[in-house]
mmCIF file of all heavy atoms in Angstrom:
data_model
loop_
_atom_site.group_PDB
_atom_site.id
_atom_site.type_symbol
_atom_site.label_atom_id
_atom_site.label_comp_id
_atom_site.label_asym_id
_atom_site.label_seq_id
_atom_site.Cartn_x
_atom_site.Cartn_y
_atom_site.Cartn_z
ATOM 1 N N THR F 39 134.008 105.593 20.242
ATOM 2 C CA THR F 39 133.163 106.348 21.178
ATOM 3 C C THR F 39 131.859 106.750 20.485
ATOM 4 O O THR F 39 131.822 106.983 19.274
ATOM 5 C CB THR F 39 133.883 107.596 21.730
ATOM 6 O OG1 THR F 39 134.095 108.528 20.659
ATOM 7 C CG2 THR F 39 135.203 107.235 22.385
ATOM 8 N N GLY F 40 130.797 106.781 21.281
ATOM 9 C CA GLY F 40 129.488 107.137 20.732
ATOM 10 C C GLY F 40 129.018 106.128 19.710
ATOM 11 O O GLY F 40 128.498 106.485 18.647
ATOM 12 N N ALA F 41 129.162 104.841 20.061
ATOM 13 C CA ALA F 41 128.917 103.782 19.068
ATOM 14 C C ALA F 41 127.492 103.233 19.096
ATOM 15 O O ALA F 41 127.178 102.291 18.381
ATOM 16 C CB ALA F 41 129.912 102.640 19.277
ATOM 17 N N ALA F 42 126.633 103.827 19.902
ATOM 18 C CA ALA F 42 125.257 103.316 19.979
ATOM 19 C C ALA F 42 124.394 103.793 18.817
ATOM 20 O O ALA F 42 123.375 103.179 18.505
ATOM 21 C CB ALA F 42 124.619 103.756 21.307
ATOM 22 N N ARG F 43 124.811 104.901 18.215
ATOM 23 C CA ARG F 43 123.939 105.532 17.208
ATOM 24 C C ARG F 43 124.784 106.084 16.061
ATOM 25 O O ARG F 43 125.985 106.276 16.203
ATOM 26 C CB ARG F 43 123.191 106.718 17.825
ATOM 27 C CG ARG F 43 122.352 106.378 19.000
ATOM 28 C CD ARG F 43 121.469 107.555 19.386
ATOM 29 N NE ARG F 43 122.140 108.541 20.218
ATOM 30 C CZ ARG F 43 122.172 109.846 19.946
ATOM 31 N NH1 ARG F 43 121.614 110.311 18.852
ATOM 32 N NH2 ARG F 43 122.782 110.687 20.767
ATOM 33 N N GLY F 44 124.090 106.389 14.961
ATOM 34 C CA GLY F 44 124.667 107.191 13.887
ATOM 35 C C GLY F 44 125.998 106.672 13.337
ATOM 36 O O GLY F 44 126.188 105.476 13.106
ATOM 37 N N ILE F 45 126.923 107.591 13.167
ATOM 38 C CA ILE F 45 128.215 107.277 12.545
ATOM 39 C C ILE F 45 128.995 106.280 13.403
ATOM 40 O O ILE F 45 129.628 105.355 12.881
ATOM 41 C CB ILE F 45 129.019 108.586 12.329
ATOM 42 C CG1 ILE F 45 128.335 109.452 11.267
ATOM 43 C CG2 ILE F 45 130.467 108.286 11.933
ATOM 44 C CD1 ILE F 45 128.876 110.882 11.160
ATOM 45 N N GLY F 46 128.937 106.445 14.714
ATOM 46 C CA GLY F 46 129.667 105.548 15.617
ATOM 47 C C GLY F 46 129.177 104.114 15.504
ATOM 48 O O GLY F 46 129.986 103.167 15.495
ATOM 49 N N HIS F 63 131.255 101.892 22.795
ATOM 50 C CA HIS F 63 131.106 102.878 23.872
ATOM 51 C C HIS F 63 129.778 103.632 23.731
ATOM 52 O O HIS F 63 129.318 103.931 22.626
ATOM 53 C CB HIS F 63 132.276 103.877 23.822
ATOM 54 C CG HIS F 63 132.000 105.127 24.605
ATOM 55 N ND1 HIS F 63 131.362 106.217 24.052
ATOM 56 C CD2 HIS F 63 132.210 105.437 25.900
ATOM 57 C CE1 HIS F 63 131.232 107.153 24.979
ATOM 58 N NE2 HIS F 63 131.739 106.705 26.102
ATOM 59 N N TYR F 64 129.184 103.951 24.876
ATOM 60 C CA TYR F 64 127.965 104.771 24.873
ATOM 61 C C TYR F 64 127.955 105.639 26.121
ATOM 62 O O TYR F 64 128.768 105.455 27.042
ATOM 63 C CB TYR F 64 126.714 103.881 24.826
ATOM 64 C CG TYR F 64 126.486 103.092 26.093
ATOM 65 C CD1 TYR F 64 125.586 103.547 27.062
ATOM 66 C CD2 TYR F 64 127.205 101.923 26.355
ATOM 67 C CE1 TYR F 64 125.401 102.839 28.245
ATOM 68 C CE2 TYR F 64 127.033 101.231 27.544
ATOM 69 C CZ TYR F 64 126.129 101.686 28.476
ATOM 70 O OH TYR F 64 125.958 101.003 29.660
ATOM 71 N N HIS F 65 126.998 106.565 26.142
ATOM 72 C CA HIS F 65 126.814 107.379 27.343
ATOM 73 C C HIS F 65 125.390 107.221 27.838
ATOM 74 O O HIS F 65 125.152 106.581 28.849
ATOM 75 C CB HIS F 65 127.157 108.848 27.040
ATOM 76 C CG HIS F 65 127.022 109.741 28.223
ATOM 77 N ND1 HIS F 65 126.462 110.997 28.167
ATOM 78 C CD2 HIS F 65 127.360 109.549 29.521
ATOM 79 C CE1 HIS F 65 126.482 111.549 29.371
ATOM 80 N NE2 HIS F 65 127.015 110.691 30.207
ATOM 81 N N GLN F 66 124.412 107.740 27.089
ATOM 82 C CA GLN F 66 123.000 107.659 27.523
ATOM 83 C C GLN F 66 122.274 106.482 26.875
ATOM 84 O O GLN F 66 121.306 105.980 27.433
ATOM 85 C CB GLN F 66 122.236 108.937 27.112
ATOM 86 C CG GLN F 66 122.917 110.234 27.471
ATOM 87 C CD GLN F 66 122.586 110.720 28.873
ATOM 88 O OE1 GLN F 66 122.048 109.968 29.690
ATOM 89 N NE2 GLN F 66 122.914 111.966 29.151
ATOM 90 N N SER F 67 122.704 106.068 25.675
ATOM 91 C CA SER F 67 121.909 105.135 24.859
ATOM 92 C C SER F 67 122.279 103.679 25.109
ATOM 93 O O SER F 67 122.786 102.986 24.212
ATOM 94 C CB SER F 67 122.081 105.475 23.370
ATOM 95 O OG SER F 67 121.757 106.804 23.127
ATOM 96 N N LYS F 68 121.976 103.204 26.328
ATOM 97 C CA LYS F 68 122.391 101.847 26.690
ATOM 98 C C LYS F 68 121.708 100.782 25.822
ATOM 99 O O LYS F 68 122.367 99.864 25.305
ATOM 100 C CB LYS F 68 122.075 101.589 28.164
ATOM 101 C CG LYS F 68 122.557 100.239 28.644
ATOM 102 C CD LYS F 68 122.348 100.049 30.123
ATOM 103 C CE LYS F 68 122.961 98.723 30.554
ATOM 104 N NZ LYS F 68 122.742 98.446 31.961
ATOM 105 N N PHE F 90 131.092 105.715 29.459
ATOM 106 C CA PHE F 90 131.552 106.882 30.217
ATOM 107 C C PHE F 90 131.114 108.145 29.500
ATOM 108 O O PHE F 90 130.769 108.115 28.309
ATOM 109 C CB PHE F 90 133.073 106.870 30.449
ATOM 110 C CG PHE F 90 133.939 106.698 29.217
ATOM 111 C CD1 PHE F 90 134.169 107.738 28.330
ATOM 112 C CD2 PHE F 90 134.563 105.476 28.953
ATOM 113 C CE1 PHE F 90 134.982 107.580 27.217
ATOM 114 C CE2 PHE F 90 135.382 105.308 27.835
ATOM 115 C CZ PHE F 90 135.587 106.364 26.965
ATOM 116 N N ASP F 91 131.111 109.232 30.271
ATOM 117 C CA ASP F 91 130.843 110.554 29.708
ATOM 118 C C ASP F 91 132.174 111.078 29.187
ATOM 119 O O ASP F 91 133.109 111.289 29.978
ATOM 120 C CB ASP F 91 130.281 111.452 30.813
ATOM 121 C CG ASP F 91 130.027 112.875 30.348
ATOM 122 O OD1 ASP F 91 130.488 113.256 29.254
ATOM 123 O OD2 ASP F 91 129.363 113.620 31.087
ATOM 124 N N VAL F 92 132.277 111.283 27.880
ATOM 125 C CA VAL F 92 133.578 111.680 27.308
ATOM 126 C C VAL F 92 134.057 113.039 27.812
ATOM 127 O O VAL F 92 135.240 113.354 27.701
ATOM 128 C CB VAL F 92 133.563 111.690 25.743
ATOM 129 C CG1 VAL F 92 133.317 110.304 25.180
ATOM 130 C CG2 VAL F 92 132.582 112.717 25.201
ATOM 131 N N SER F 93 133.142 113.826 28.380
ATOM 132 C CA SER F 93 133.532 115.158 28.857
ATOM 133 C C SER F 93 133.890 115.158 30.339
ATOM 134 O O SER F 93 134.128 116.219 30.917
ATOM 135 C CB SER F 93 132.404 116.161 28.588
ATOM 136 O OG SER F 93 131.256 115.838 29.358
ATOM 137 N N LEU F 117 137.513 108.395 17.701
ATOM 138 C CA LEU F 117 136.931 109.429 18.555
ATOM 139 C C LEU F 117 135.748 110.019 17.802
ATOM 140 O O LEU F 117 135.908 110.891 16.941
ATOM 141 C CB LEU F 117 137.981 110.495 18.844
ATOM 142 C CG LEU F 117 139.177 110.002 19.661
ATOM 143 C CD1 LEU F 117 140.390 110.897 19.446
ATOM 144 C CD2 LEU F 117 138.822 109.906 21.130
ATOM 145 N N ASN F 118 134.569 109.487 18.096
ATOM 146 C CA ASN F 118 133.390 109.849 17.314
ATOM 147 C C ASN F 118 132.353 110.640 18.101
ATOM 148 O O ASN F 118 131.657 111.476 17.529
ATOM 149 C CB ASN F 118 132.765 108.560 16.762
ATOM 150 C CG ASN F 118 131.349 108.780 16.267
ATOM 151 O OD1 ASN F 118 131.133 109.344 15.189
ATOM 152 N ND2 ASN F 118 130.363 108.372 17.080
ATOM 153 N N ALA F 119 132.226 110.386 19.407
ATOM 154 C CA ALA F 119 131.161 111.027 20.195
ATOM 155 C C ALA F 119 131.227 112.539 20.028
ATOM 156 O O ALA F 119 132.312 113.130 20.064
ATOM 157 C CB ALA F 119 131.308 110.655 21.668
ATOM 158 N N GLY F 120 130.074 113.154 19.814
ATOM 159 C CA GLY F 120 130.069 114.603 19.644
ATOM 160 C C GLY F 120 128.666 115.153 19.696
ATOM 161 O O GLY F 120 127.683 114.420 19.522
ATOM 162 N N ILE F 121 128.584 116.452 19.966
ATOM 163 C CA ILE F 121 127.276 117.117 20.028
ATOM 164 C C ILE F 121 127.366 118.462 19.315
ATOM 165 O O ILE F 121 128.455 118.975 19.064
ATOM 166 C CB ILE F 121 126.830 117.388 21.489
ATOM 167 C CG1 ILE F 121 127.893 118.210 22.247
ATOM 168 C CG2 ILE F 121 126.544 116.075 22.219
ATOM 169 C CD1 ILE F 121 127.394 118.790 23.563
ATOM 170 N N LYS F 137 129.834 123.333 26.924
ATOM 171 C CA LYS F 137 129.438 121.925 26.774
ATOM 172 C C LYS F 137 129.985 121.361 25.454
ATOM 173 O O LYS F 137 130.515 120.249 25.406
ATOM 174 C CB LYS F 137 127.905 121.826 26.823
ATOM 175 C CG LYS F 137 127.355 120.430 26.735
ATOM 176 C CD LYS F 137 127.505 119.670 28.035
ATOM 177 C CE LYS F 137 127.033 118.238 27.883
ATOM 178 N NZ LYS F 137 127.609 117.355 28.906
ATOM 179 N N VAL F 141 132.654 118.318 25.279
ATOM 180 C CA VAL F 141 132.341 116.999 24.695
ATOM 181 C C VAL F 141 133.174 116.760 23.431
ATOM 182 O O VAL F 141 133.692 115.657 23.222
ATOM 183 C CB VAL F 141 130.825 116.885 24.371
ATOM 184 C CG1 VAL F 141 130.533 115.620 23.572
ATOM 185 C CG2 VAL F 141 130.007 116.919 25.650
ATOM 186 N N ASN F 142 133.317 117.769 22.596
ATOM 187 C CA ASN F 142 133.958 117.550 21.293
ATOM 188 C C ASN F 142 135.483 117.690 21.318
ATOM 189 O O ASN F 142 136.157 117.049 20.513
ATOM 190 C CB ASN F 142 133.417 118.551 20.260
ATOM 191 C CG ASN F 142 131.941 118.329 19.949
ATOM 192 O OD1 ASN F 142 131.309 117.415 20.492
ATOM 193 N ND2 ASN F 142 131.375 119.163 19.100
ATOM 194 N N ILE F 168 136.694 111.980 14.457
ATOM 195 C CA ILE F 168 135.656 112.497 13.561
ATOM 196 C C ILE F 168 135.510 113.989 13.837
ATOM 197 O O ILE F 168 135.075 114.402 14.916
ATOM 198 C CB ILE F 168 134.289 111.794 13.793
ATOM 199 C CG1 ILE F 168 134.419 110.264 13.779
ATOM 200 C CG2 ILE F 168 133.289 112.278 12.731
ATOM 201 C CD1 ILE F 168 134.856 109.641 12.471
ATOM 202 N N THR F 169 135.902 114.780 12.862
ATOM 203 C CA THR F 169 135.717 116.222 12.973
ATOM 204 C C THR F 169 134.524 116.590 12.086
ATOM 205 O O THR F 169 133.552 115.830 12.039
ATOM 206 C CB THR F 169 137.038 116.963 12.654
ATOM 207 O OG1 THR F 169 136.777 118.353 12.626
ATOM 208 C CG2 THR F 169 137.688 116.526 11.383
ATOM 209 N N SER F 170 134.565 117.687 11.380
ATOM 210 C CA SER F 170 133.404 118.094 10.576
ATOM 211 C C SER F 170 133.840 119.122 9.545
ATOM 212 O O SER F 170 134.817 119.851 9.757
ATOM 213 C CB SER F 170 132.349 118.731 11.486
ATOM 214 O OG SER F 170 131.358 119.382 10.724
ATOM 215 N N VAL F 171 133.056 119.228 8.477
ATOM 216 C CA VAL F 171 133.289 120.310 7.512
ATOM 217 C C VAL F 171 133.231 121.656 8.234
ATOM 218 O O VAL F 171 133.929 122.591 7.865
ATOM 219 C CB VAL F 171 132.267 120.221 6.341
ATOM 220 C CG1 VAL F 171 130.848 120.476 6.803
ATOM 221 C CG2 VAL F 171 132.639 121.175 5.222
ATOM 222 N N TYR F 183 130.706 124.838 17.845
ATOM 223 C CA TYR F 183 130.965 123.542 17.187
ATOM 224 C C TYR F 183 132.150 123.651 16.230
ATOM 225 O O TYR F 183 133.040 122.787 16.215
ATOM 226 C CB TYR F 183 129.688 123.137 16.444
ATOM 227 C CG TYR F 183 129.721 121.780 15.785
ATOM 228 C CD1 TYR F 183 129.526 120.621 16.526
ATOM 229 C CD2 TYR F 183 129.905 121.662 14.407
ATOM 230 C CE1 TYR F 183 129.528 119.369 15.921
ATOM 231 C CE2 TYR F 183 129.902 120.429 13.784
ATOM 232 C CZ TYR F 183 129.712 119.275 14.548
ATOM 233 O OH TYR F 183 129.721 118.042 13.934
ATOM 234 N N LYS F 187 135.645 121.548 16.499
ATOM 235 C CA LYS F 187 136.068 120.624 15.444
ATOM 236 C C LYS F 187 137.376 121.088 14.786
ATOM 237 O O LYS F 187 138.184 120.257 14.370
ATOM 238 C CB LYS F 187 134.953 120.471 14.402
ATOM 239 C CG LYS F 187 133.685 119.776 14.953
ATOM 240 C CD LYS F 187 133.977 118.364 15.401
ATOM 241 C CE LYS F 187 132.731 117.568 15.731
ATOM 242 N NZ LYS F 187 133.048 116.194 16.154
ATOM 243 N N ALA F 212 136.377 114.267 8.149
ATOM 244 C CA ALA F 212 135.493 115.435 8.260
ATOM 245 C C ALA F 212 134.240 115.242 7.412
ATOM 246 O O ALA F 212 134.252 115.534 6.209
ATOM 247 C CB ALA F 212 136.245 116.689 7.818
ATOM 248 N N PRO F 213 133.165 114.735 8.005
ATOM 249 C CA PRO F 213 131.942 114.557 7.227
ATOM 250 C C PRO F 213 131.238 115.891 6.956
ATOM 251 O O PRO F 213 131.415 116.866 7.695
ATOM 252 C CB PRO F 213 131.056 113.682 8.134
ATOM 253 C CG PRO F 213 131.943 113.188 9.229
ATOM 254 C CD PRO F 213 133.025 114.217 9.371
ATOM 255 N N GLY F 214 130.445 115.872 5.875
ATOM 256 C CA GLY F 214 129.512 116.971 5.610
ATOM 257 C C GLY F 214 128.186 116.618 6.259
ATOM 258 O O GLY F 214 128.142 116.315 7.454
ATOM 259 N N PHE F 215 127.100 116.603 5.467
ATOM 260 C CA PHE F 215 125.786 116.255 6.029
ATOM 261 C C PHE F 215 125.578 114.741 5.954
ATOM 262 O O PHE F 215 125.558 114.165 4.866
ATOM 263 C CB PHE F 215 124.668 116.949 5.245
ATOM 264 C CG PHE F 215 124.768 118.455 5.272
ATOM 265 C CD1 PHE F 215 124.859 119.170 4.081
ATOM 266 C CD2 PHE F 215 124.764 119.155 6.468
ATOM 267 C CE1 PHE F 215 124.962 120.558 4.086
ATOM 268 C CE2 PHE F 215 124.864 120.546 6.487
ATOM 269 C CZ PHE F 215 124.959 121.239 5.293
ATOM 270 N N ILE F 216 125.430 114.125 7.110
ATOM 271 C CA ILE F 216 125.257 112.677 7.184
ATOM 272 C C ILE F 216 123.943 112.377 7.900
ATOM 273 O O ILE F 216 123.620 113.013 8.918
ATOM 274 C CB ILE F 216 126.434 112.020 7.953
ATOM 275 C CG1 ILE F 216 127.797 112.448 7.357
ATOM 276 C CG2 ILE F 216 126.290 110.497 7.958
ATOM 277 C CD1 ILE F 216 128.054 112.062 5.909
ATOM 278 N N GLU F 217 123.242 111.377 7.376
ATOM 279 C CA GLU F 217 121.896 111.060 7.874
ATOM 280 C C GLU F 217 121.962 110.404 9.267
ATOM 281 O O GLU F 217 122.109 109.181 9.374
ATOM 282 C CB GLU F 217 121.243 110.098 6.875
ATOM 283 C CG GLU F 217 119.760 109.996 7.002
ATOM 284 C CD GLU F 217 119.200 109.022 5.974
ATOM 285 O OE1 GLU F 217 119.836 108.796 4.933
ATOM 286 O OE2 GLU F 217 118.134 108.476 6.263
ATOM 287 N N THR F 218 121.900 111.204 10.305
ATOM 288 C CA THR F 218 121.883 110.690 11.683
ATOM 289 C C THR F 218 120.975 111.598 12.511
ATOM 290 O O THR F 218 120.486 112.624 12.025
ATOM 291 C CB THR F 218 123.292 110.722 12.341
ATOM 292 O OG1 THR F 218 123.625 112.090 12.617
ATOM 293 C CG2 THR F 218 124.364 110.091 11.481
ATOM 294 N N ASP F 219 120.848 111.249 13.794
ATOM 295 C CA ASP F 219 120.041 112.086 14.699
ATOM 296 C C ASP F 219 120.551 113.514 14.763
ATOM 297 O O ASP F 219 119.812 114.434 15.100
ATOM 298 C CB ASP F 219 120.062 111.497 16.127
ATOM 299 C CG ASP F 219 119.384 110.140 16.190
ATOM 300 O OD1 ASP F 219 118.629 109.814 15.241
ATOM 301 O OD2 ASP F 219 119.614 109.407 17.173
ATOM 302 N N MET F 220 121.845 113.703 14.467
ATOM 303 C CA MET F 220 122.407 115.050 14.556
ATOM 304 C C MET F 220 121.745 116.015 13.567
ATOM 305 O O MET F 220 121.746 117.222 13.770
ATOM 306 C CB MET F 220 123.918 115.020 14.323
ATOM 307 C CG MET F 220 124.575 116.310 14.724
ATOM 308 S SD MET F 220 126.356 116.223 14.850
ATOM 309 C CE MET F 220 126.577 115.785 16.550
ATOM 310 N N LEU F 221 121.164 115.486 12.499
ATOM 311 C CA LEU F 221 120.497 116.355 11.519
ATOM 312 C C LEU F 221 119.011 116.545 11.842
ATOM 313 O O LEU F 221 118.307 117.218 11.092
ATOM 314 C CB LEU F 221 120.627 115.784 10.098
ATOM 315 C CG LEU F 221 122.011 115.819 9.443
ATOM 316 C CD1 LEU F 221 121.891 115.567 7.942
ATOM 317 C CD2 LEU F 221 122.754 117.121 9.682
HETATM 318 P P1 LIG P 307 124.452 111.328 16.821
HETATM 319 O O1 LIG P 307 123.675 110.298 16.097
HETATM 320 O O2 LIG P 307 123.750 112.494 17.450
HETATM 321 O O3 LIG P 307 125.369 110.586 17.906
HETATM 322 C C1 LIG P 307 126.117 111.294 18.827
HETATM 323 C C2 LIG P 307 126.879 110.294 19.655
HETATM 324 O O4 LIG P 307 127.703 110.991 20.586
HETATM 325 C C3 LIG P 307 125.986 109.358 20.449
HETATM 326 O O5 LIG P 307 126.449 108.052 20.293
HETATM 327 C C4 LIG P 307 126.172 109.830 21.887
HETATM 328 O O6 LIG P 307 126.121 108.777 22.843
HETATM 329 C C5 LIG P 307 127.573 110.389 21.852
HETATM 330 N N1 LIG P 307 127.748 111.380 22.922
HETATM 331 C C6 LIG P 307 127.233 112.621 22.978
HETATM 332 N N2 LIG P 307 127.594 113.223 24.116
HETATM 333 C C7 LIG P 307 128.374 112.339 24.810
HETATM 334 C C8 LIG P 307 129.046 112.363 26.043
HETATM 335 N N3 LIG P 307 129.016 113.438 26.852
HETATM 336 N N4 LIG P 307 129.753 111.283 26.422
HETATM 337 C C9 LIG P 307 129.802 110.192 25.626
HETATM 338 N N5 LIG P 307 129.179 110.088 24.437
HETATM 339 C C10 LIG P 307 128.466 111.160 24.030
HETATM 340 O O7 LIG P 307 125.513 112.035 15.870
HETATM 341 P P2 LIG P 307 126.377 111.550 14.635
HETATM 342 O O8 LIG P 307 125.918 112.324 13.475
HETATM 343 O O9 LIG P 307 126.478 110.076 14.542
HETATM 344 O O10 LIG P 307 127.766 112.191 15.074
HETATM 345 C C11 LIG P 307 128.943 111.451 15.288
HETATM 346 C C12 LIG P 307 130.120 112.382 15.072
HETATM 347 O O11 LIG P 307 130.120 112.852 13.717
HETATM 348 C C13 LIG P 307 130.093 113.636 15.951
HETATM 349 O O12 LIG P 307 131.390 113.934 16.413
HETATM 350 C C14 LIG P 307 129.619 114.714 15.008
HETATM 351 O O13 LIG P 307 130.043 115.992 15.407
HETATM 352 C C15 LIG P 307 130.240 114.263 13.708
HETATM 353 N N6 LIG P 307 129.623 114.801 12.506
HETATM 354 C C16 LIG P 307 128.339 114.483 12.178
HETATM 355 C C17 LIG P 307 127.780 115.023 11.015
HETATM 356 C C18 LIG P 307 126.383 114.719 10.571
HETATM 357 O O14 LIG P 307 125.909 115.360 9.618
HETATM 358 N N7 LIG P 307 125.681 113.786 11.188
HETATM 359 C C19 LIG P 307 128.546 115.886 10.222
HETATM 360 C C20 LIG P 307 129.848 116.169 10.595
HETATM 361 C C21 LIG P 307 130.377 115.626 11.736
HETATM 362 P P3 LIG P 307 124.767 108.367 23.663
HETATM 363 O O15 LIG P 307 123.638 108.400 22.686
HETATM 364 O O16 LIG P 307 125.079 107.014 24.204
HETATM 365 O O17 LIG P 307 124.639 109.379 24.775
#
Side-chain angles (χ1 to χ4, degrees):
T39 67
R43 302 190 277 128
I45 292 169
H63 163 272
Y64 69 98
H65 181 222
Q66 311 273 14
S67 305
K68 184 175 185 183
F90 53 77
D91 177 348
V92 297
S93 66
L117 295 157
N118 164 76
I121 56 166
K137 182 76 184 158
V141 171
N142 294 359
I168 309 296
T169 174
S170 168
V171 66
Y183 184 79
K187 294 298 190 180
F215 300 122
I216 307 298
E217 197 180 336
T218 72
D219 295 343
M220 194 166 269
L221 290 195

